[in-house]
């Protein structure tokens, strides 16, 4: 009998084991020709429920057997684990059907590769710090609270004593609103309960400006975890706050040039204003445009969607404190602009027909050649030119056209679905300007930039003045958020990185693009254009970006989650000026238009460096540029735009290497220039004081 039972179990056990295995069956769906709308549905045959689904798409929940918003042509992995810990892995790919889906799928791995370089975290790689975001506490707030709620909440009764141990879902307090309706609040975590508000005290009052501005004013209790908890994405991947290599590269460079040039960003500010006003404009000096026109052209290339959408994203991620670090980074970036634009003029070529060829391509090649490093100079200059051409077609063109159409069609529904015709109209407007070359571009930007900047600044100041009673709480939130932010924001380092990143990406100090525009200025003295250029980060970041952040903070919109950046800024203005979102949509178009015409010149100069300086070569580039305007307006290109946008940041690698190498000669040129200025040896317009 024993032998029979043993034989029976030896036979049946493998079947039991096999029965416990399970199989993943899935289907892929491509519902339309639009990109990034792929769907994967999976079902599990066998195994022990419940199952967890760990997708490599971070936005898909561990509880979901369906992943949506997927990129066509890209493989996605899901690991399914049953209740007994058994796991199976499956890979699915949504087939591409439209040509745009094919391009998007091909470019996605390239974006990932370039992103892994630009956003690599060297400090985490060598173990200096842990980039994973931990929470040591859980804030307990008013249920279903939103930043636009108009109500008053009072803590009526504590159901758990201060210091008591609580578990998730356990009732801890009763609060009432101004209508007397009672709400029972439950703990959202396990740990030690700490009271922040006493019984009978007001938790949040929408009529109190300090409550509206203060980050997290609606929280009235804290649950201290027994051990820190790793914050995760919906798919279970740890949430991280990396210090990106590109941010380090740009900010360390800005700090170095600030020290190397003796804080030229501060001591040169007044002279920069004088130069921009035309006080030292010599009509007989070599070049094509005035100091102010060169400044307007360069500013138009940087003041754009980043100042509207990007700042909203930064303040949402880093809180009000990110504003402080944006300003700091903007001030440091002024020194970088001084160095690169001084070199842009110094190493420019002026042809007999008056056309100017300057920028990083020139000073990288000829500056390194002067130092007996001709080979390295040619490589760096060629790398910069290739990146600049790609960036001009993408981030400086298609992205601008695409986003301006999205904003315009959002406010003016009649445009919806007519991106192609919008692109044709925009291309005609751009073409009228760029066909005339830098003189035409400079004349237009010299008029458009002051108008659009003034419009935006006046509107921002209007919102701030309408909420002037919030000025104290707003600046308290900025300072407190900069130096004592919550762990959820990544601590001081996390907020600092968010602020620095937004500023560095916005003003493009170190990217080298502005040096191309400034090299066309009429001047005998290269440092004079460096002085003018240092105003760019001040205008772009210290003024425009800061005003956007203040509008968000003064209106309490910095606490809103789930909205896209541009929409968040639009809602902040709209909450105070009902009709302003329409004006903002037009401002976005002007921002995008001026950015496109400036980047057309940057890209053209890089193009001519690579393919020749003839007017025929220039014309070919201009026609290609206009074609891409139409493509950007009418087609969603996803990863293609992401890749070209990254190329703008990648331009800083060869550029800043050159700036480091040549900073010594810039310092010497600066010393000579300041001596001439002090001795009154510079050309000065009669009557200009």
């Amino acid at each position: 009998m024993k032998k029979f039972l043993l034989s029976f179990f030896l036979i049946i056990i493998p079947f039991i084991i096999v029965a416990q295995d399970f199989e993943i069956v899935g289907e892929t769906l491509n519902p339309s020709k639009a990109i990034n709308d792929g769907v994967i549905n999976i079902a599990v045959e066998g195994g022990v429920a419940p199952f967890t689904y760990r997708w490599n798409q971070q936005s898909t929940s561990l509880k979901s057997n369906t992943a949506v918003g997927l990129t066509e042509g890209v493989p996605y992995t899901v690991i399914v684990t049953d209740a007994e810990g058994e796991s199976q892995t499956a890979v699915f790919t949504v087939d591409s059907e439209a040509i745009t889906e094919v391009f998007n799928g091909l470019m996605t791995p390239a974006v990932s590769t370039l992103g892994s370089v630009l956003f690599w975290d060297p400090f985490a790689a060598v173990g200096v710090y842990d980039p994973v975001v931990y929470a040591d506490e859980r804030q307990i707030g008013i249920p279903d609270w939103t930043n636009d709620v108009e109500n008053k909440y009072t803590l009526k009764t504590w159901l758990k004593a201060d210091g008591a141990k609580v578990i998730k879902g356990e009732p801890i307090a009763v609060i009432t609103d101004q209508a007397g309706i009672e709400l029972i609040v439950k703990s959202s975590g396990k740990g030690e309960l700490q009271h922040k508000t006493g019984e009978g005290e007001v938790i949040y009052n929408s009529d109190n400006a300090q409550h509206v501005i203060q980050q997290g004013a609606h929280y009235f209790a804290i649950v201290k975890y027994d051990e820190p908890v790793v914050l995760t994405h919906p798919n279970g991947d740890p949430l991280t706050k990396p210090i990106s290599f590109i941010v380090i590269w740009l900010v360390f460079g800005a700090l170095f040039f600030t020290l190397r040039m003796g804080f030229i960003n501060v001591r040169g500010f007044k002279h920069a204003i004088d130069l921009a006003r035309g006080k030292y404009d010599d009509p007989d000096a070599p070049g094509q445009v005035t100091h102010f026109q060169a400044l307007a052209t360069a500013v138009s290339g940087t003041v754009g969607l980043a100042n509207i959408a990007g700042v909203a994203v930064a303040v949402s991620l880093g809180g009000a404190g990110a504003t402080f670090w944006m300003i700091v980074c903007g001030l440091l970036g002024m020194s970088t602009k001084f160095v690169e634009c001084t070199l842009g003029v110094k190493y420019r070529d002026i042809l007999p027909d008056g056309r100017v060829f300057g920028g990083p391509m020139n000073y990288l090649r000829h500056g390194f050649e002067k130092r007996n490093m001709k080979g390295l100079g040619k490589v760096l200059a060629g790398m910069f030119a290739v990146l600049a051409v790609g960036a001009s077609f993408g981030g400086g063109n298609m992205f601008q056209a695409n986003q301006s159409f999205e904003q315009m069609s959002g406010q003016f529904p009649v445009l919806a679905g007519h991106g192609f015709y919008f692109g044709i109209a925009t291309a005609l407007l751009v073409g009228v300007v760029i066909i005339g070359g830098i003189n035409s571009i400079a004349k237009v930007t010299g008029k458009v930039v002051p108008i659009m900047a003034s419009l935006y600044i006046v509107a921002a100041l209007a919102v701030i003045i309408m909420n002037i009673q919030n000025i104290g709480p707003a600046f308290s939130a900025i300072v407190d958020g900069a130096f004592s932010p919550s762990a959820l924001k990544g601590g001081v380092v996390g907020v600092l990185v968010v602020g620095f990143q937004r500023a560095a990406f916005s003003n493009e100090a170190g990217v080298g693009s502005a040096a191309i525009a400034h090299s066309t200025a009429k001047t005998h003295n290269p440092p004079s254009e460096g002085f003018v250029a240092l105003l760019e980060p001040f205008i772009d970041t210290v003024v425009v970006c800061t005003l956007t952040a203040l509008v968000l903070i003064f209106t309490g919109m910095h606490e809103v989650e789930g909205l896209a950046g541009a929409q968040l800024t639009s809602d902040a203005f709209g909450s105070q000026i009902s009709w302003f979102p329409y004006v903002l949509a037009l401002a976005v178009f002007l921002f995008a238009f001026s950015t496109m015409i400036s980047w057309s010149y940057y890209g053209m100069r890089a193009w001519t460096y690579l393919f020749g300086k003839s007017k025929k070569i220039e014309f070919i580039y201009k026609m290609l540029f206009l074609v891409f305007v139409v493509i950007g307006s009418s087609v969603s290109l996803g990863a293609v735009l992401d890749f070209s946008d990254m190329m703008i940041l990648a331009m800083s690698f060869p550029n800043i290497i050159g700036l480091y190498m040549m900073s010594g000669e810039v310092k010497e040129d600066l010393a000579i220039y300041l001596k001439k200025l002090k001795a009154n040896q510079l050309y000065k317009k009669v009557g200009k004081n």
Side-chain angles (χ1 to χ4, degrees):
M1 186 63 180
K2 289 181 180 179
K3 289 183 178 181
F4 173 79
L5 289 174
L6 180 62
S7 300
F8 175 80
F9 280 115
L10 288 174
I11 294 171
I12 201 70
I13 282 173
F15 288 98
I16 295 172
I17 293 172
V18 170
Q20 300 231 349
D21 285 345
F22 58 88
E23 184 180 356
I24 302 171
V25 179
E27 63 169 344
T28 60
L29 301 172
N30 188 347
S32 74
K33 292 183 178 181
I35 63 170
N36 298 333
D37 67 346
V39 179
I40 298 174
N41 292 309
I42 63 170
V44 180
E45 296 179 355
V48 181
F51 300 96
T52 59
Y53 309 88
R54 193 180 185 100
W55 298 84
N56 65 337
Q57 186 197 39
Q58 292 182 328
S59 60
T60 303
S61 168
L62 287 166
K63 297 179 181 179
S64 177
N65 68 332
T66 301
V68 299
L70 307 178
T71 301
E72 298 81 4
V74 173
Y76 286 90
T77 303
V78 59
I79 302 172
V80 180
T81 305
D82 73 357
E84 296 189 348
E86 296 292 327
S87 296
Q88 295 285 349
T89 302
V91 180
F92 300 94
T93 302
V94 179
D95 291 334
S96 301
E97 295 178 2
I99 188 67
T100 51
E101 292 177 338
V102 174
F103 275 120
N104 189 50
L106 290 172
M107 289 302 297
T108 296
V111 170
S112 178
T113 301
L114 185 55
S116 65
V117 176
L118 293 174
F119 304 116
W120 170 62
D121 187 342
F123 292 124
V126 297
V128 172
Y129 85 114
D130 184 0
V132 174
V133 179
Y134 295 89
D136 52 8
E137 62 185 32
R138 179 83 179 203
Q139 300 267 22
I140 309 295
I142 300 164
D144 302 321
W145 179 90
T146 60
N147 75 299
D148 58 355
V149 69
E150 293 184 4
N151 211 329
K152 178 180 177 181
Y153 296 91
T154 305
L155 198 145
K156 181 180 179 181
T157 309
W158 282 109
L159 302 178
K160 285 290 182 178
D162 190 27
K165 290 288 185 179
V166 295
I167 60 173
K168 188 174 181 179
E170 184 177 4
I172 60 170
V174 178
I175 64 176
T176 59
D177 66 8
Q178 60 189 15
I181 298 174
E182 293 187 351
L183 301 170
I184 296 177
V185 183
K186 298 178 180 180
S187 173
S188 55
K190 178 183 178 182
E192 180 184 301
L193 179 66
Q194 292 185 357
H195 297 175
K196 292 178 65 177
T197 307
E199 291 184 351
E201 292 182 359
V202 174
I203 302 169
Y204 180 86
N205 184 357
S206 58
D207 293 331
N208 185 328
Q210 188 166 352
H211 286 183
V212 174
I213 299 299
Q214 181 185 341
Q215 194 121 7
H218 60 291
Y219 295 125
F220 62 90
I222 297 173
V223 174
K224 284 279 187 182
Y225 297 140
D226 296 332
E227 292 183 2
V229 175
V230 176
L231 298 182
T232 63
H233 292 280
N235 76 331
D237 287 350
L239 191 66
T240 59
K241 293 276 188 180
I243 304 176
S244 304
F245 174 64
I246 186 64
V247 175
I248 298 169
W249 184 247
L250 290 168
V251 174
F252 276 23
L255 180 60
F256 173 81
F257 300 127
T258 297
L259 297 174
R260 180 81 160 147
M261 300 299 146
F263 291 90
I264 194 65
N265 50 346
V266 177
R267 64 191 179 104
F269 191 81
K270 183 180 180 300
H271 184 57
I273 297 291
D274 289 338
L275 284 161
R277 285 175 54 223
K279 187 175 178 179
Y280 295 89
D281 281 354
D282 183 351
D284 298 323
Q288 291 179 281
V289 299
T290 65
H291 287 303
F292 176 77
Q293 288 175 329
L295 174 65
T297 302
V299 167
S300 70
T302 58
V303 175
L305 296 170
N307 302 80
I308 297 172
V311 173
V313 172
V315 175
S316 295
L317 293 174
T323 308
F324 178 88
W325 298 113
M326 272 196 295
I327 294 171
V328 171
C329 186
L331 293 172
L332 293 175
M334 293 165 70
S335 303
T336 307
K337 287 274 187 174
F338 173 83
V339 175
E340 63 187 1
C341 293
T342 297
L343 290 170
V345 174
K346 184 174 183 177
Y347 285 92
R348 67 185 176 179
D349 292 328
I350 302 179
L351 298 191
D353 62 5
R355 286 182 297 152
V356 177
F357 293 82
M361 299 83 67
N362 284 46
Y363 61 71
L364 287 172
R365 181 169 183 174
H366 301 303
F368 275 74
E369 185 177 353
K370 192 164 74 172
R371 290 163 174 76
N372 297 317
M373 292 185 283
K374 183 177 180 180
L376 178 59
K378 290 180 71 173
V379 169
L380 293 176
M383 183 191 304
F384 180 91
V386 169
L387 291 169
V389 169
S392 73
F393 287 141
N397 181 335
M398 289 193 293
F399 175 77
Q400 304 297 326
N402 187 280
Q403 292 301 298
S404 62
F405 174 69
E406 290 293 324
Q407 284 295 304
M408 291 289 283
S409 60
Q411 295 300 328
F412 303 98
V414 69
L415 292 173
H418 297 94
F420 177 78
Y421 299 105
F422 178 86
I424 292 289
T426 304
L428 288 173
L429 289 173
V430 172
V432 167
V433 178
I434 70 173
I435 296 300
I438 186 60
N439 289 316
S440 177
I441 292 170
K443 286 177 183 176
V444 172
T445 55
K447 291 180 173 63
V448 171
V449 169
I451 292 171
M452 71 180 188
S454 299
L455 176 68
Y456 192 76
I457 290 169
V458 168
L461 289 174
V463 172
I464 291 169
I465 291 169
M466 291 167 70
N467 295 272
I468 197 65
Q469 71 277 8
N470 299 347
I471 189 167
F475 280 99
S476 292
I478 290 171
V479 175
D480 291 344
F483 295 100
S484 55
S486 68
L488 192 60
K489 297 296 181 185
V492 174
V493 172
V495 174
L496 182 148
V497 169
V498 169
F500 275 9
Q501 181 167 295
R502 182 67 270 140
F505 293 1
S506 176
N507 61 49
E508 297 176 13
V511 167
S513 54
I516 300 174
H518 283 283
S519 66
T520 62
K522 291 183 176 182
T523 182
H524 293 284
N525 304 288
S528 68
E529 200 54 32
F531 277 102
V532 175
L534 65 78
L535 293 173
E536 283 173 48
F538 183 82
I539 295 168
D540 176 275
T541 306
V542 180
V543 176
V544 180
C545 283
T546 301
L547 283 173
T548 302
L550 289 176
V551 166
L552 293 165
I553 297 164
F554 270 68
T555 56
M557 297 296 285
H558 61 300
E559 290 202 296
V560 176
E561 296 179 356
L563 279 182
Q567 187 60 50
L568 189 59
T569 304
S570 181
D571 286 357
F573 277 103
S575 68
Q576 305 298 313
I577 309 172
S578 60
W579 47 265
F580 190 75
Y582 296 101
V583 179
L584 185 65
L586 291 172
V588 166
F589 176 76
L590 285 177
F591 282 146
F593 174 73
S594 63
T595 299
M596 283 188 278
I597 61 177
S598 294
W599 268 94
S600 72
Y601 185 73
Y602 300 160
M604 184 178 70
R605 281 293 162 259
W607 179 273
T608 53
Y609 177 83
L610 294 170
F611 301 110
K613 297 178 180 179
S614 71
K615 290 187 177 181
K616 181 181 178 181
I617 294 294
E618 288 186 355
F619 184 77
I620 291 171
Y621 172 84
K622 290 172 183 177
M623 291 300 102
L624 282 173
F625 191 86
L626 296 178
V627 168
F628 278 106
V629 172
V630 180
I631 294 172
S633 299
S634 53
V635 180
S636 296
L637 291 174
V640 177
L641 296 184
D642 292 339
F643 185 79
S644 64
D645 212 27
M646 287 182 180
M647 292 177 85
I648 295 177
L649 298 176
M651 288 160 62
S652 66
F653 289 127
N655 184 52
I656 289 183
I657 290 172
L659 300 187
Y660 280 131
M661 292 292 293
M662 288 176 269
S663 62
E665 69 177 273
V666 173
K667 187 175 182 180
E668 292 173 5
D669 292 344
L670 173 61
I672 295 169
Y673 179 83
L674 290 176
K675 282 183 180 179
K676 288 182 180 179
L677 177 64
K678 192 173 181 180
N680 204 25
Q681 295 175 351
L682 299 176
Y683 175 90
K684 186 185 293 186
K685 279 189 175 181
V686 178
K688 285 276 187 179
N689 296 316

